[in-house]
Amino acid sequence: MSAIWGIISWDAPLPQNIKEQMQLPFQKKCKIDRYSSVQKDTVFMGCGIQYLTDESLSEVLPYTSGSPDFFMTADCLLDNRKELLSLLQLPASTPDGTVMAQAYSRFGISCLKYFRGLFSLAVYDFAKKTLYLAADQMASRCLYYYESGRQVSFSTLSSAILQVFPEIPENPLFFKDFLTAPGLAPNISPEDTPYRGMYKLKPGTCLEITSRGITEHTYWTPADEASPFSCGSFSAARYGRSFRQLYSDCVRDALRCNGEVGICLSSGLDSASVGTLAATHLQQGHRNLYAYTYVPYETPHPDKNRDHVTDETADVQKILDMYPNMKPHFLNNHGKNCLEALQEELEIMEIPFKAYANLPNLMEIYEEASAAGCKVLLTGQAGNSTVSYGYIDNILCHVYHRKHYMTFLYWLNRYAKHVKESRRSALKSCIRYYNAAARQQNLPDTVPGSKTDNPFVNSEILTDYPLAARHTKYAPTRTPGFPMTEKDYRSWVWFAPFLTYIGELETKMGLHYGLILRDPTRDSRMVNFCYHLPYEIFAWQGTPRWLIRGNFRDLLPTDLLDQWMRYGVQNSDYYLRIQRDWQKLLPDLEKELEASPCNYCSEGTVQAFLAHYRTGLPDEAQDDFMYLCFVYILQKYLKIYHFC
C-alpha cells in the first residue's frame, strides 16, 4: 500500500519547497519504506510506499508515461491481479501501480471498471489538461482534495493539504453533524471534513478536474451492477453454496502480503467466520494466523441478560481448538482506561470520533500485530450488514407484509421453539408490531426534530443548522425503531458515510502501524451479493443470520451457531475502568469542557454533571457519560488542531 499526495496549478508556479511541505506529515505519522515524487511544470505528485507485498518492493510510483503523456500516483492493492495481468499481457511480477497505469494507457479513465481491491489514485493527463481522482468501490483508501483559486491539491492525509493551505477555515457544519448524528455514528455526510472546502472522495466515484471546475462521476454502485445470481428457480441451498464460495474467495484475496497475517478475533459470527476461512487457506501453505482478542481487565458486573457474554475468552478458545494454526493473543490494554490515549488517537485520525471505548484496544492489537511481523490484519466489522445480517424481526415482517402467511407462521413457530419462547405470545406481539410498522410506512417520511439527544450540546449552535434536512438526506432508513425493509436494507448495506469513515480509520491506522487492515465482509463482491440477495434468505426458515448459521456448520463450533440469542458485549469493562480512574480524569475534563472558548458544549449542563458526580461516577450515569465524551472529544480535537 501507499500514501499519495500532489498539487496541480492551472497557471501559477508551485512553491519551491512543495515536496518537503507535503511529505512532512507522512514522515511524522506513517511507517513508510520509500518516498518518491515527480514534478513537471505546474504538476507535482508524491508517493510513500510500504513494502507489504512482494511486488511493492519494485513499485515505481508516481508513474510517468509519454504515450500518452500522464503522471499517475496510486495507493493500491489489487485483488484481481491475475485477471488484469492476463488482460494487459504483463509479467507476473508487475507491481500493482504499474498494472493500473498500463490499464489507464489502454482504456483511459474507464479503466476504473476493471479494478477490484483497495485503491485511491490520481492521474494527470497532460494532453487533456485534466486531473482524475478516484476511490475504490468501498472508499477503502481515503483521499482528500481541496480547490483553491487556480490550484487543486489532494492527499491521503488532510494534514498534507494543510501544509500548503494553512489558512483553510473550520467547517462548523461537520462538527454539528458529529454532535447530532444518532448513536455512535460519527458523521452523516460521506464527503464533508472538518475543513471548509476540503472534501473526501465518496465510494465508487471519480472526479474529473479541469481549470473550468470539478465534475463528479459515479462509476460503481451495487444498484447499477447486474445481479450475481443466474439461477432461474429459487433455491436457498444454491444461494448458500454461492455465498460460501464467494466468502472464501474474498478472504483468500485479502491474505496477499509478504509477512504474517493476523485477525481481530471475537466469538461473534463475523470475525469468527473470517478467521476460520483464513486459517483454512493459510493452513494449506503451512502458515499461521495470529489471533488477537480483547478480554476484560476489571471483572464485569453480572449482566442481567443471561445471553450477554461479557468475557469471550472461553468461546474464542472453542474456535482456537478447531484450528491449530491459529496462534492466540489475549489483550486487555494493560488495564488503561479508554481516554488515556485520546491525544494520540486524534492526531492519527485527524477527525473527531465516537469509538472512544473501542479504539484504544484496537490500537493495542495493531501495535502487537505489527511487532509480530503481520502485514495484513483481518477484521469483520462490517459483517452485521452483509455476511451475518438477518435480524429475525426484519425478515418475518417482510414475509408477513408479502402475505405469505403460512410461511410466516412456520418460520415464527420454528424460531420461537428454538429460543424457547411462547409461540402464542410471539405471534400476538409480532402481528401488533408489524401492523404498526405498516402504518408507519404509509406516513410521510419521518423528519427528525430540531433537537439533539446529547444534553451537553449547546442548543444555540443548532439555530442556524438544518438538522432535519441534513439527517433526512443521509439517513439509511426513514422509519427508525421499526423493522428494516428490503429497500432500506439496500440503502444501508452500501451506506456511503459509514464507508468513508471506516476507510479513513483503516487507511490512517494502517499507515501508522505499517499494516493493511482488511475486512472481507466489506468486499465489493460481498456487498453486491447481499444487495441482490432475496431478503428472506437472510433468516431463511426462521434462522437468524442464516448465511453463516446455515453454511458454516463444518467450520464453526456448533454450540456457538445454535445460540441464537447470544450476544458478545465488546469492551464490557470500559466503564469500570472509567469509574476506577474518575478522580484522575476529572481535572482534564473540567479543563477541556469548562474553560474552552469553543461554543459547541453547554457549559452549564457540563458543570452541573461534573459537580453532581464529583465524588464518583455511578452505574446509572453511563449513558450521560457517553454523551459527555462526544463533546469532550470534539473539544479536545478543536484544541489540538487550533480551531480554538
Side-chain angles (χ1 to χ4, degrees):
M1 302 304 296
S2 310
I4 63 175
W5 57 90
I7 184 169
I8 283 79
S9 176
W10 304 119
D11 42 36
L14 298 177
Q16 290 185 347
N17 62 341
I18 188 65
K19 175 182 175 180
E20 291 75 16
Q21 278 184 294
M22 297 199 78
Q23 192 168 296
L24 182 62
F26 297 95
Q27 293 172 322
K28 288 183 176 180
K29 299 182 180 183
C30 305
K31 284 188 175 181
I32 299 294
D33 293 300
R34 173 163 47 88
Y35 291 93
S36 55
S37 61
V38 295
Q39 184 171 352
K40 178 181 178 181
D41 301 329
T42 56
V43 178
F44 168 80
M45 288 186 180
C47 185
I49 297 173
Q50 295 179 314
Y51 294 152
L52 301 179
T53 65
D54 290 338
E55 297 79 18
S56 63
L57 299 175
S58 58
E59 185 74 87
V60 179
L61 286 171
Y63 183 95
T64 61
S65 173
S67 179
D69 193 4
F70 69 89
F71 283 177
M72 171 186 284
T73 190
D75 173 12
C76 54
L77 183 65
L78 295 173
D79 289 340
N80 61 334
R81 274 180 54 83
K82 290 184 179 179
E83 300 170 23
L84 292 168
L85 292 172
S86 175
L87 175 67
L88 299 168
Q89 297 183 327
L90 297 172
S93 60
T94 306
D96 288 8
T98 303
V99 171
M100 299 182 82
Q102 290 295 318
Y104 179 80
S105 293
R106 180 168 172 180
F107 301 110
I109 199 58
S110 62
C111 64
L112 293 171
K113 67 181 180 181
Y114 293 97
F115 302 148
R116 191 181 73 244
L118 282 59
F119 65 86
S120 64
L121 63 85
V123 180
Y124 185 78
D125 192 308
F126 286 89
K128 296 180 180 179
K129 296 183 179 180
T130 299
L131 172 67
Y132 297 103
L133 302 177
D136 67 58
Q137 295 89 339
M138 299 290 108
S140 304
R141 306 298 291 182
C142 68
L143 187 61
Y144 299 95
Y145 64 97
Y146 177 70
E147 183 180 33
S148 175
R150 301 284 292 172
Q151 294 180 327
V152 177
S153 57
F154 62 88
S155 174
T156 305
L157 297 182
S158 61
S159 49
I161 296 176
L162 292 170
Q163 287 289 308
V164 185
F165 302 101
E167 72 284 357
I168 304 177
E170 69 177 280
N171 179 13
L173 190 62
F174 178 89
F175 301 132
K176 294 175 183 181
D177 283 347
F178 173 81
L179 290 172
T180 61
L184 293 173
N187 60 346
I188 61 174
S189 163
E191 58 188 346
D192 288 325
T193 74
Y195 301 93
R196 190 177 301 169
M198 185 189 299
Y199 302 99
K200 48 189 177 176
L201 264 70
K202 295 185 288 189
T205 61
C206 173
L207 301 182
E208 182 180 352
I209 307 174
T210 68
S211 60
R212 297 182 298 277
I214 300 176
T215 304
E216 182 180 85
H217 304 280
T218 300
Y219 70 87
W220 190 93
T221 72
D224 295 330
E225 288 291 292
S227 171
F229 310 120
S230 59
C231 50
S233 59
F234 186 89
S235 169
R238 192 166 180 179
Y239 287 126
R241 289 193 298 270
S242 297
F243 165 73
R244 172 73 174 261
Q245 183 60 58
L246 174 61
Y247 200 2
S248 179
D249 292 344
C250 292
V251 172
R252 180 203 61 218
D253 291 346
L255 302 178
R256 182 166 71 98
C257 67
N258 60 1
E260 303 293 344
V261 178
I263 184 171
C264 299
L265 181 68
S266 73
S267 59
L269 298 183
D270 304 321
S271 66
S273 58
V274 171
T276 59
L277 289 170
T280 301
H281 284 297
L282 291 168
Q283 196 168 35
Q284 295 171 2
H286 306 287
R287 299 174 65 192
N288 293 323
L289 177 64
Y290 293 82
Y292 298 91
T293 302
Y294 171 82
V295 295
Y297 182 87
E298 303 288 345
T299 303
H301 296 316
D303 200 301
K304 295 179 181 178
N305 189 327
R306 64 182 181 181
D307 297 313
H308 286 182
V309 179
T310 55
D311 185 344
E312 299 185 80
T313 303
D315 287 337
V316 166
Q317 190 61 52
K318 295 175 184 177
I319 301 169
L320 296 169
D321 290 343
M322 296 177 65
Y323 298 91
N325 65 327
M326 278 193 183
K327 304 303 177 183
H329 300 77
F330 293 95
L331 308 176
N332 57 25
N333 203 21
H334 310 289
K336 298 176 184 177
N337 71 66
C338 62
L339 299 182
E340 289 190 40
L342 187 57
Q343 173 118 358
E344 180 187 7
E345 294 161 6
L346 288 169
E347 289 175 352
I348 296 172
M349 287 290 290
E350 301 185 322
I351 56 171
F353 52 84
K354 294 181 179 177
Y356 65 92
N358 292 351
L359 199 51
N361 306 322
L362 290 174
M363 289 174 64
E364 183 190 21
I365 290 174
Y366 302 155
E367 187 171 6
E368 292 284 333
S370 180
C374 292
K375 296 295 184 71
V376 165
L377 186 66
L378 302 170
T379 73
Q381 59 185 337
N384 280 340
S385 63
T386 55
V387 301
S388 73
Y389 180 73
Y391 302 104
I392 192 66
D393 269 332
N394 296 351
I395 306 308
L396 286 179
C397 185
H398 173 76
V399 173
Y400 177 77
H401 285 157
R402 296 182 72 185
K403 299 182 180 181
H404 296 169
Y405 298 126
M406 295 304 295
T407 298
F408 165 75
L409 289 171
Y410 172 66
W411 289 15
L412 176 62
N413 178 69
R414 187 172 179 274
Y415 173 80
K417 184 177 180 180
H418 187 94
V419 300
K420 296 179 173 57
E421 287 187 5
S422 165
R423 281 164 277 183
R424 177 177 295 181
S425 175
L427 177 61
K428 290 176 63 176
S429 61
C430 281
I431 291 176
R432 188 183 311 115
Y433 183 35
Y434 300 161
N435 285 338
R439 290 192 296 271
Q440 184 69 23
Q441 289 290 327
N442 292 325
L443 296 175
D445 285 1
T446 303
V447 178
S450 58
K451 297 182 179 179
T452 172
D453 293 332
N454 192 330
F456 301 104
V457 172
N458 182 356
S459 59
E460 293 183 4
I461 70 169
L462 302 179
T463 56
D464 60 346
Y465 171 66
L467 186 149
R470 295 285 292 177
H471 288 238
T472 301
K473 178 180 179 180
Y474 295 109
T477 173
R478 70 181 186 90
T479 54
F482 288 96
M484 182 177 287
T485 66
E486 183 176 31
K487 179 181 177 182
D488 287 340
Y489 168 73
R490 289 177 173 170
S491 298
W492 181 55
V493 73
W494 197 65
F495 185 48
F498 167 75
L499 295 174
T500 54
Y501 167 72
I502 292 297
E504 285 179 286
L505 186 150
E506 291 185 346
T507 301
K508 293 171 183 176
M509 288 294 171
L511 286 169
H512 184 76
Y513 289 100
L515 295 164
I516 309 167
L517 301 178
R518 295 296 307 258
D519 183 1
T521 70
R522 205 173 69 251
D523 189 292
S524 62
R525 292 168 293 177
M526 185 59 70
V527 169
N528 189 53
F529 179 94
C530 293
Y531 183 93
H532 292 283
L533 197 67
Y535 202 43
E536 54 267 36
I537 288 291
F538 288 110
W540 181 246
Q541 294 186 334
T543 300
R545 304 174 189 262
W546 179 82
L547 287 176
I548 298 292
R549 288 199 167 102
N551 299 282
F552 271 70
R553 302 195 72 80
D554 59 326
L555 293 181
L556 286 170
T558 303
D559 59 339
L560 293 184
L561 291 171
D562 289 343
Q563 294 180 49
W564 291 3
M565 302 294 288
R566 181 185 173 281
Y567 178 77
V569 181
Q570 293 185 354
N571 298 292
S572 57
D573 68 336
Y574 101 87
Y575 192 63
L576 291 172
R577 302 188 195 194
I578 293 294
Q579 291 175 308
R580 179 199 65 197
D581 298 343
W582 183 239
Q583 295 304 320
K584 292 193 301 183
L585 293 170
L586 263 176
D588 191 63
L589 287 166
E590 292 173 335
K591 177 182 176 182
E592 297 294 343
L593 291 170
E594 294 183 355
S596 173
C598 300
N599 65 345
Y600 289 100
C601 74
S602 171
E603 292 187 16
T605 308
V606 169
Q607 290 172 354
F609 178 88
L610 296 179
H612 186 69
Y613 296 120
R614 186 163 299 280
T615 58
L617 199 62
D619 292 347
E620 58 269 20
Q622 184 169 350
D623 286 346
D624 282 342
F625 174 76
M626 176 187 73
Y627 283 121
L628 182 74
C629 279
F630 297 162
V631 179
Y632 170 66
I633 289 168
L634 177 59
Q635 296 284 112
K636 194 99 172 174
Y637 171 86
L638 294 169
K639 182 177 180 180
I640 291 172
Y641 288 91
H642 308 295
F643 286 125
C644 62

